[in-house]
Amino acid sequence: MKNETDFSRAFGRADERFAACVQHTLLQLKYQEEEKMKKKFGWGVLVIALVLVLAMAAAVALTIDWKHIETAMDLARDSGAYFEWGLEGKIRLISDMENDGMEISPGEMEKLGDPQATEAEKEKLADTILTRYYGDEEYLYYYTMAEREWGMPIQWTLEQRAWFHQIEREKGLYGDFSWIDLVPEKTDISREKAVDIAKNAVMDAWDVTEEEMAQYEAGVSFFTTDVYDIPRWMVDFYIPRENTWSTAYTVLLTREGEVTEDWEDLGVLTPENAKKKKAEDERKALEMDDWQRRGKERLADMESVFFNRNGGQHYHFLSDCPLVDEKFLPLEPLSKDAGIFPLFTPCPVCVNDDVFWSIEDKVRYQCGHWPLPEEDWISPEEAIRLAKAALCDQGYDLKGLYPSLFTHLEEERSVYSIFFDDVIMDPYDGSVMIEPIYSVVLDAKTEEILQAEPNQSNG
C-alpha cells in the first residue's frame, strides 16, 4: 500500500505487532464506515487520527529503540566486563531489550521474575538469552552489541554514530578522542549527495571506472574535531570482508560538498594530492631500494675485512650505535666516504671483531691511533707470514687461530704487533669473544723478531 510506504519513510519503523494491530483496526473501521454510509469525510478523519497515533508510536520506538545499548554502557561503566554485570544488571538489560522490541518469550521473562527460581537458574537463563542475541560471553560488551544490531561501525547510520558516541561521552566511556559525530542540518547536502561527489572525485583522480567503483561500499561520517570545529563529511570507499573492511579511498568534503583535505589533523588528502603523494612515496622507495642494494654490495666487499664468523649478526650499523654521540665518529664524512647512506655503514667501534680489520680501515674508521705503513716498511701480509713462521719454529700450533695486526711507533722504531686469536661464539646469543693466544712483535723495517710467545694475558 502506498500509504504504508509513505508512513514508514516519514516516521520510521514502528513495532511490528503495534503496526499490525493498527492496520487491522483501519480495515475494521473502513468496513464499518462503508456499512453505515456515514459522512464522506468520516473515514478520512479516522485515517488521519490513526496515522497520528502510528506516528507517535513510531517516534516513541525511535526514542527507546537503543535504550538497552545505553543500559549496557551503564553496566560497562559501573561494573566492567560482562562477567561482572551480575544477575540484577543482566535482568535489567533483558527487560530493556524487550521494551525496545526484541523478542523475549513470556515464559523466559516470567522465569526471570519467579521468586521460586534460584539465582543460579536465573543467571543461567539470562546468559542464555543474551548469548542467543550477542554470541560468546567473552566478547559481550556494549560495542559488540551495537555491531551485532547495526553491522560494522563503518556501516552505521549518521544518527547511530552521533547517538552512540554522544552517550559514550556522557558516560565517560569515549576516551580522549577529539572526533565528534553529528547529524546534518537541513542546509547541509544530503548523505547521498556527499557519496556521489566523493565517488566522482575518486573516479576523476584515479581513473577508476564505474564498474570498479561498484565493488566498493561507502562509509559516511559527518563530524567535527577539537582541532577543526566546522562540520564536514568524510566518505570511505571500502570492500567489506568478514567482520571487517579494507578502505581503498577516503574523500573529505566541506559541509557544502567541496572536496578538501586535512593532512595535519586527519591525514586525509584530496584524491589528486593523494595520487601525487603515492608517486612521491614510490620514488622514495626506489631510492631506498638503491641504498639497500649499494649497502649490501659494500658489506659484501668488506666481508674479508670484517671477519664474519657469525653471519654478520654480531655487528651493527652506525645509525644503530648507542654510543655514537659519545665517540668521535663523524657520521657525514664516514657515510660520504663510504658512498652509501649512513644506515648501511657498519659501526667501526662497537663491533666485536674490529681487531681483524686492515690497518687502513682501522685508521679510516678511527678505531685507534695507528700509523699507516710507510714505503720502507714490509707489508702487513709479509709481517703476518714472518710472525707465523716464528711461532711455528718454536713448536706452537696455530691451527684454528686467526691473525690480527696493529702498528706502533716505539721511540724511533716502527713496529708490527701480530696476535693469533681464538674466536669463541656464545651458542645462546651468538655473541663473539676474541681471545689472543700468541703475540709477535717485529721491526717493520728490518723484519727483526722482537718477541714471539704465548700472550701474557693468558699466562
Side-chain angles (χ1 to χ4, degrees), residues 77-93:
R77 178 196 59 196
D78 299 337
S79 302
Y82 174 78
F83 301 100
E84 304 295 330
W85 288 4
L87 176 58
E88 183 179 343
K90 294 174 184 177
I91 291 178
R92 173 187 163 199
L93 175 59

Side-chain angles (χ1 to χ4, degrees), residues 423-457:
V423 179
I424 304 169
M425 185 172 67
D426 191 310
Y428 297 102
D429 62 11
S431 61
V432 173
M433 182 177 71
I434 299 171
E435 183 178 358
I437 305 301
Y438 302 104
S439 63
V440 176
V441 179
L442 60 86
D443 191 299
K445 295 181 179 181
T446 66
E447 303 182 8
E448 178 185 358
I449 301 295
L450 305 176
Q451 174 186 314
E453 60 188 12
N455 190 50
Q456 293 181 0
S457 62

Side-chain angles (χ1 to χ4, degrees), residues 27 45 101 115 145 214 307 335:
L27 292 173
V45 172
M145 289 171 61
F307 172 74
S335 61

Side-chain angles (χ1 to χ4, degrees), residues 122-288:
K122 292 180 181 179
E123 185 138 21
K124 183 177 180 181
L125 175 58
D127 290 337
T128 299
I129 295 171
L130 292 170
T131 55
R132 184 172 69 215
Y133 273 102
Y134 300 115
D136 197 325
E137 297 177 17
E138 183 178 356
Y139 305 104
L140 208 160
Y141 195 61
Y142 72 86
Y143 202 93
T144 57
M145 289 171 61
E147 284 186 305
R148 282 294 183 119
E149 296 186 34
W150 302 339
M152 296 182 296
I154 199 170
Q155 298 172 324
W156 293 359
T157 67
L158 299 175
E159 292 77 13
Q160 287 167 339
R161 290 172 184 266
W163 178 86
F164 187 87
H165 295 307
Q166 176 60 31
I167 299 301
E168 269 192 315
R169 280 191 294 273
E170 290 176 2
K171 299 183 183 300
L173 296 169
Y174 194 63
D176 296 327
F177 303 113
S178 65
W179 185 289
I180 302 173
D181 284 286
L182 304 172
V183 176
E185 299 176 3
K186 291 182 178 180
T187 54
D188 294 311
I189 62 172
S190 67
R191 180 190 187 280
E192 291 73 22
K193 183 67 173 176
V195 172
D196 191 52
I197 295 173
K199 174 183 172 183
N200 289 331
V202 170
M203 292 172 64
D204 290 343
W206 296 93
D207 298 323
V208 180
T209 65
E210 190 83 42
E211 291 73 20
E212 290 173 324
M213 287 302 297
Q215 67 179 312
Y216 298 107
E217 293 185 14
V220 184
S221 301
F222 188 70
F223 68 100
T224 62
T225 68
D226 290 346
V227 178
Y228 188 92
D229 62 356
I230 300 175
R232 49 197 165 156
W233 298 89
M234 188 163 77
V235 182
D236 292 301
F237 292 99
Y238 68 97
I239 297 177
R241 308 189 186 282
E242 186 177 358
N243 297 322
T244 186
W245 65 90
S246 176
T247 300
Y249 305 101
T250 297
V251 181
L252 197 65
L253 310 171
T254 65
R255 66 190 310 173
E256 294 81 16
E258 181 184 352
V259 177
T260 184
E261 69 182 8
D262 189 346
W263 183 244
E264 294 298 325
D265 185 13
L266 301 173
V268 177
L269 294 168
T270 62
E272 190 61 41
N273 287 342
K275 188 176 183 179
K276 293 177 183 177
K277 184 177 184 298
K278 182 180 180 182
E280 178 67 14
D281 290 344
E282 289 174 349
R283 184 187 65 78
K284 290 181 179 179
L286 289 176
E287 288 184 357
M288 181 59 71

Side-chain angles (χ1 to χ4, degrees), residues 50-84:
L50 285 170
V51 167
L52 292 174
V53 173
L54 178 59
M56 289 187 290
V60 172
L62 287 173
T63 302
I64 67 172
D65 203 23
W66 308 328
K67 181 65 172 64
H68 62 288
I69 296 178
E70 183 177 354
T71 298
M73 290 183 183
D74 288 333
L75 294 172
R77 178 196 59 196
D78 299 337
S79 302
Y82 174 78
F83 301 100
E84 304 295 330

Side-chain angles (χ1 to χ4, degrees), residues 309-442:
R309 184 171 183 175
N310 190 32
Q313 297 177 9
H314 60 278
Y315 65 81
H316 55 263
F317 298 106
L318 283 175
S319 60
D320 300 321
C321 179
L323 301 177
V324 71
D325 291 335
E326 301 175 16
K327 300 292 182 179
F328 45 83
L329 289 173
L331 278 177
E332 289 305 319
L334 281 176
S335 61
K336 183 177 180 180
D337 184 39
I340 56 176
F341 193 65
L343 175 66
F344 303 107
T345 303
C347 172
V349 170
C350 300
V351 59
N352 288 327
D353 55 7
D354 59 349
V355 296
F356 295 109
W357 298 7
S358 68
I359 289 296
E360 288 78 6
D361 272 346
K362 287 174 181 174
V363 172
R364 175 188 181 191
Y365 289 111
Q366 304 182 38
C367 295
H369 300 289
W370 321 112
L372 285 171
E374 299 180 6
E375 290 185 2
D376 58 345
W377 292 23
I378 63 173
S379 69
E381 293 75 18
E382 178 64 12
I384 291 174
R385 188 190 68 77
L386 292 172
K388 184 181 295 185
L391 290 171
C392 288
D393 288 346
Q394 297 183 57
Y396 294 121
D397 184 7
L398 304 182
K399 184 178 180 180
L401 303 182
Y402 301 88
S404 58
L405 180 143
F406 301 87
T407 57
H408 301 281
L409 292 177
E410 295 183 355
E411 297 179 353
E412 297 182 358
R413 185 181 293 234
S414 302
V415 172
Y416 279 117
S417 292
I418 301 100
F419 296 89
F420 290 87
D421 306 301
D422 190 12
V423 179
I424 304 169
M425 185 172 67
D426 191 310
Y428 297 102
D429 62 11
S431 61
V432 173
M433 182 177 71
I434 299 171
E435 183 178 358
I437 305 301
Y438 302 104
S439 63
V440 176
V441 179
L442 60 86

